[in-house]
Amino acid sequence: QQPVQSPQAVILREGEDAVINCSSSKALYSVHWYRQKHGEAPVFLMILLKGGEQKGHDKISASFNEKKQQSSLYLTASQLSYSGTYFCGTAYSGAGSYQLTFGKGTKLSVIP
Amino acid sequence: NAGVTQTPKFQVLKTGQSMTLQCAQDMNHEYMSWYRQDPGMGLRLIHYSVGAGITDQGEVPNGYNVSRSTTEDFPLRLLSAAPSQTSVYFCASSGTGGAYGANVLTFGAGSRLTVL
């Protein structure tokens, strides 16, 4: 089951904040966040584990609500370089990172 | 460091032709995966491998074969290409050092395949 991302697209002006959500109908073990710029490969941003452990970039924050099976990615004081498509990838109990199920993506456009 | 290398970057096939997409990584990663990306669909898992000699199917395996004879290489074979296989294909690898399910995926640059 593919996780559901919202919104599908968002347009921000530089300096504005955004939240991208990722929801699953199955119990999650971990949630990965990746950003993909047009014509390029996805690049790692953040991993959140059941139990609260996180690893990722200092300038990007995220949360993991185990009760709701939902993760949110917080982008603050957006810069032009934040533009791209953001994907969440979910791993369920017993599954490794090699079996991530990705959402359909959220396209973020930051304009001057 | 080369990371994950995919070849070719672009390929055009006719329906029924066969071809192999190559993927090689130099990070000594045990885990490797193939994804396809279609507009509005996100990344969908085709096949994956947890080590040399061990492969398994993902979400959309039909029409694709894989093998893993070495840790470094994980080729994806299309035996009889169909227009529905027109897509961008990404190979990814990850290590085993972290908690299960928490290892970062490193993606290759992608291979854009068009089947006419």
Side-chain angles (χ1 to χ4, degrees), chain A residues 77-99:
Chain A
S78 59
Q79 306 169 17
L80 294 176
S81 61
Y82 285 11
S83 293
T85 301
Y86 290 75
F87 293 98
C88 68
T90 53
Y92 307 109
S93 179
S97 297
Y98 48 84
Q99 290 175 284

Side-chain angles (χ1 to χ4, degrees), chain A residues 7-69:
Chain A
Q8 292 183 348
V10 59
I11 299 175
L12 299 175
R13 291 196 178 278
E14 275 187 292
E16 292 182 336
D17 302 338
V19 180
I20 300 172
N21 298 307
C22 175
S23 298
S24 172
S25 58
K26 287 179 62 175
L28 295 173
Y29 175 76
S30 68
V31 179
H32 296 222
W33 287 96
Y34 292 81
R35 176 172 62 208
Q36 183 180 33
K37 294 187 178 287
H38 183 69
E40 299 181 6
V43 174
F44 167 75
L45 294 175
M46 176 80 69
I47 291 176
L48 302 101
L49 294 177
K50 181 178 180 179
E53 182 181 346
Q54 297 185 17
K55 61 179 178 181
H57 292 280
D58 293 336
K59 294 187 178 181
I60 293 175
S61 62
S63 64
F64 183 7
N65 187 322
E66 292 179 31
K67 286 186 178 180
K68 292 185 176 181
Q69 302 307 325

